[in-house]
């Protein structure tokens, strides 16, 4: 074999090896190809069709009644990641990527139920591997006895967080952008099947791009992909990065489908109005939706206590909100009372000014269309980026004035 021929052969072989590694890697991720629920008065059966055998763990959570199934990271072939269910004991189910690379399936139960059995069935009679979960109705007492002792929230206490890198060596401000929801927590779902978690991620990435273009900021995202991050962890990311500003992006839903427009929220112990209180309570349930057991003593909306340090931070948050609103008004329709406040857990960092931007309503067809369009996302990102500039310009001017 001449040298050049050998070289081509060698290169082809390397390409073949690379393909083999990639294909083998892809094959290593099991997939879920189907999902079925069947019920009789005595039991409800939940089945997943799998490409291979998997390890799993199942546990129950109370108030609301839930069954949680943890699985390895899976390739879910289904279009919807959340659905209502009318049969048997299951009222609704959802699945998606949970933290640290495992997938999670959460079943919301209509009534308390016991896990009768859960197993993976090997292929037989033409069917492949199947995960089978059988539930049977039980009383509340028996359900409560099955619930394990609460596991504390995964968030580490702040003292355990590794020291942050030296701040602003390059003179840049740090802005953390939080794409609301993700993974097993889809957020709000529009009538046409648009998920809030997708809209928020697209907006966060666009805002990051626009802020970076301005050359003044280090921009961090709390998530880069479709993955669940607990609320406490989002707050921690903002603090760990020594952020000068934390912006959480969301899209709301409301029973009245004609209501549209954006709203800016800041933290407060008491809510500005009933609607704001209801929204905070809904947004604060993200961890419950994802099947995180919060244990006892989880701060409810009304119990969010605000310390002195936080009050100063809150003034900055309000200042940013007031700078943001007129810029948002140029980009999109805003609700009347466009600045509202309530006890949002994600805004709780005592030392990072934080705002939550509801970019519009996924319950409104017009807003949904806008939020799904790249033009809509660009306009919103540009308004927020302008406000970030104006906010820090004002701070710099204050610092340089005698
Ligand atoms: Zn949300």
């Amino acid at each position: 074999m001449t040298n050049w021929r050998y070289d081509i052969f060698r290169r082809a072989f390397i390409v073949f090896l690379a393909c083999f590694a990639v294909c083998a890697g892809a094959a290593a991720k099991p997939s879920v190809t189907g999902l079925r629920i069947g019920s009789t008065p005595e039991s409800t059966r939940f089945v997943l069709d799998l490409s291979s055998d998997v390890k799993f763990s199942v546990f129950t959570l109370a108030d609301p009644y839930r069954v949680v199934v943890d699985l390895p990271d899976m390739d879910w072939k289904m279009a919807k990641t959340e659905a209502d269910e009318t049969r048997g004991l299951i009222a609704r189910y959802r699945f998606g990527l949970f933290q640290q690379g495992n997938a999670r399936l959460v079943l919301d139960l209509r009534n308390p139920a016991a896990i009768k059995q859960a197993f993976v069935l090997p292929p037989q009679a033409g069917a492949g591997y199947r995960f089978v979960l059988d539930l049977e109705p039980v009383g509340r007492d028996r359900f409560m006895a099955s619930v394990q002792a609460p596991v504390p929230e995964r968030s580490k206490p702040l003292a355990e967080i590794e020291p942050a890198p030296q701040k602003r060596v390059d003179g840049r401000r740090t802005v953390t952008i939080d794409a609301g929801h993700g993974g097993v927590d889809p957020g709000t779902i529009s009538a046409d099947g648009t998920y809030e978690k997708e809209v928020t991620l697209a907006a966060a990435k666009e805002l990051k791009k626009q802020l970076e273009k301005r050359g003044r900021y280090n921009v961090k995202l709390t998530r880069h992909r479709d993955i669940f991050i607990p609320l406490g962890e989002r707050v921690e990311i903002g603090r760990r990065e020594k952020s000068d500003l934390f912006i959480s992006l969301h899209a709301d839903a409301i029973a009245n489908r004609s209501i549209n427009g954006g709203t800016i929220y800041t933290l407060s112990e008491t809510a500005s109005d009933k609607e704001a209180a209801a929204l905070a309570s809904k947004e604060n349930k993200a961890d419950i939706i994802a099947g995180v057991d919060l244990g006892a003593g989880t701060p409810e909306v009304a119990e969010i206590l605000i310390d002195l340090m936080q009050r100063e931070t809150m003034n900055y948050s309000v200042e940013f909100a007031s700078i943001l609103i007129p810029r948002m008004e140029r980009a999109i329709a805003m609700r009347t009372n466009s600045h509202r406040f309530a006890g949002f857990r994600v805004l709780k960092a005592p030392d990072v000014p934080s705002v939550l931007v509801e970019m519009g309503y996924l319950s409104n067809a017009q807003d949904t269309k806008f939020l799904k369009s790249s033009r809509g996302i660009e306009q919103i990102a540009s308004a927020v980026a302008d406000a970030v500039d104006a906010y820090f310009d004002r701070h710099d001017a204050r610092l340089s004035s005698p």
Side-chain angles (χ1 to χ4, degrees), residues 67-119:
V67 173
V68 178
V69 185
D70 278 338
L71 297 152
D73 186 5
M74 314 276 268
D75 188 5
W76 300 80
K77 304 284 189 194
M78 286 80 93
K80 284 185 173 179
T81 69
E82 177 165 68
D84 281 322
E85 184 45 55
T86 51
R87 285 159 294 180
L89 291 157
I90 300 163
R92 196 169 176 81
Y93 63 83
R94 68 190 72 83
F95 53 81
L97 199 55
F98 193 65
Q99 272 180 307
Q100 295 162 352
N102 72 292
R104 174 162 283 192
L105 169 74
V106 182
L107 310 175
D108 296 337
L109 303 180
R110 205 163 271 125
N111 296 302
I115 298 162
K116 207 157 105 187
Q117 52 182 355
F119 55 92

Side-chain angles (χ1 to χ4, degrees), residues 144-223:
M144 293 311 283
S146 78
V147 176
Q148 296 159 343
V151 182
E153 197 175 350
R154 281 180 189 232
S155 312
K156 284 182 275 182
L158 285 165
E160 284 178 26
I161 299 171
E162 62 271 36
Q166 279 302 306
K167 197 182 177 185
R168 275 183 232 147
V169 274
D170 53 1
R172 288 165 186 243
R173 310 280 185 159
T174 299
V175 181
T176 294
I177 306 162
D178 174 47
H181 311 277
V184 67
D185 166 25
T188 284
I189 304 169
S190 74
D192 74 348
T194 305
Y195 284 46
E196 181 182 356
K197 66 177 181 177
E198 289 164 4
V199 169
T200 61
L201 186 59
K205 285 182 173 172
E206 177 61 27
L207 178 54
K208 181 177 194 286
K209 196 175 94 187
Q210 292 205 22
L211 281 174
E212 280 173 344
K213 243 191 251 168
R214 297 174 190 227
R216 297 172 64 180
Y217 310 106
N218 294 316
V219 188
K220 308 287 175 190
L221 296 181
T222 54
R223 65 178 180 97

Side-chain angles (χ1 to χ4, degrees), residues 214-277:
R214 297 174 190 227
R216 297 172 64 180
Y217 310 106
N218 294 316
V219 188
K220 308 287 175 190
L221 296 181
T222 54
R223 65 178 180 97
H224 294 83
R225 56 192 178 126
D226 185 14
I227 187 167
F228 170 77
I229 317 262
L231 293 172
E233 180 100 17
R234 293 169 192 260
V235 176
E236 258 175 38
I237 293 169
R239 299 193 74 193
R240 194 163 51 215
E241 300 291 348
K242 301 233 171 213
S243 308
D244 298 285
L245 200 55
F246 180 91
I247 304 169
S248 187
L249 300 174
H250 290 259
D252 202 359
I254 200 163
N256 182 346
R257 290 179 177 271
S258 67
I259 290 177
N260 75 316
T263 315
I264 313 300
Y265 290 90
T266 53
L267 181 69
S268 167
E269 241 161 74
T270 45
S272 54
D273 54 283
K274 267 189 190 165
E275 203 184 300

